[in-house]
Each structure stands twice: as C-alpha cells, then as structure tokens.
Amino acid sequence: MGSTVLSLRIDSELLDRLKGHAAKRGMSVQDYVVRTLIREDFDERFKTAVEVTQKFYGEGAEPEPPGAAPAPLDQVRPSAGIA
C-alpha cells in the first residue's frame, strides 16, 4: 500500500485542540489525525455492515427473552452463535 500527501488548512484553535489530544496520547498530530480517520472509517463500515445484516434478517429482530420458546429450526436469529 502506498501513501499520498493530504494537505489541510484548519483553524488555529482546532489545531491547538488536536495538539492537546495528540499530546495526551503521546502521538504526533499527524498520527492522531490519521488514527482518528481510520477509526471513523471503521465505524462507518461497521454501521453499514449492521444495516445490511438488519435488512437480511429483518428490521427489529430482537433476541428471545429468557424462558421463551425457541425459534423454529428453519429460522436463524441474528444473535446465533454470539454469547
């Protein structure tokens, strides 16, 4: 994977806040911003995956309450296999 330069023009107050956040984590501002963007990208991809799963299983699919009758054998719950 290659890298590319991205130049940003940001407000000085925002830069000061970014410097503070980065310093708290012992990171450079560049590393902090890149890590934040990666996390945001992951969050978006995870949200999309959840939405696709909900469409597949149907909206509002809720786990069964304790003591409820089991689902029919030909129906799989979204939480199947998750403890």
Side-chain angles (χ1 to χ4, degrees):
M1 176 189 321
S3 63
T4 304
V5 174
L6 172 65
S7 178
L8 299 173
R9 184 181 305 256
I10 60 173
D11 182 76
S12 61
E13 291 178 17
L14 175 58
L15 179 58
D16 290 340
R17 288 198 314 270
L18 290 172
K19 285 179 181 178
H21 293 307
K24 287 179 189 176
R25 291 160 180 80
M27 304 170 73
S28 69
V29 173
Q30 179 179 343
D31 289 342
Y32 176 77
V33 170
V34 168
R35 184 171 272 204
T36 302
L37 291 171
I38 290 169
R39 184 177 63 238
E40 180 69 23
D41 179 59
F42 171 81
D43 290 348
E44 285 295 319
R45 288 183 289 133
F46 183 77
K47 179 181 171 188
T48 300
V50 168
E51 290 170 355
V52 168
T53 301
Q54 287 176 337
K55 286 179 185 176
F56 180 78
Y57 286 107
E59 290 292 324
E62 298 282 331
E64 295 175 6
L73 295 177
D74 62 341
Q75 185 178 10
V76 177
R77 292 281 191 213
S79 61
I82 301 174

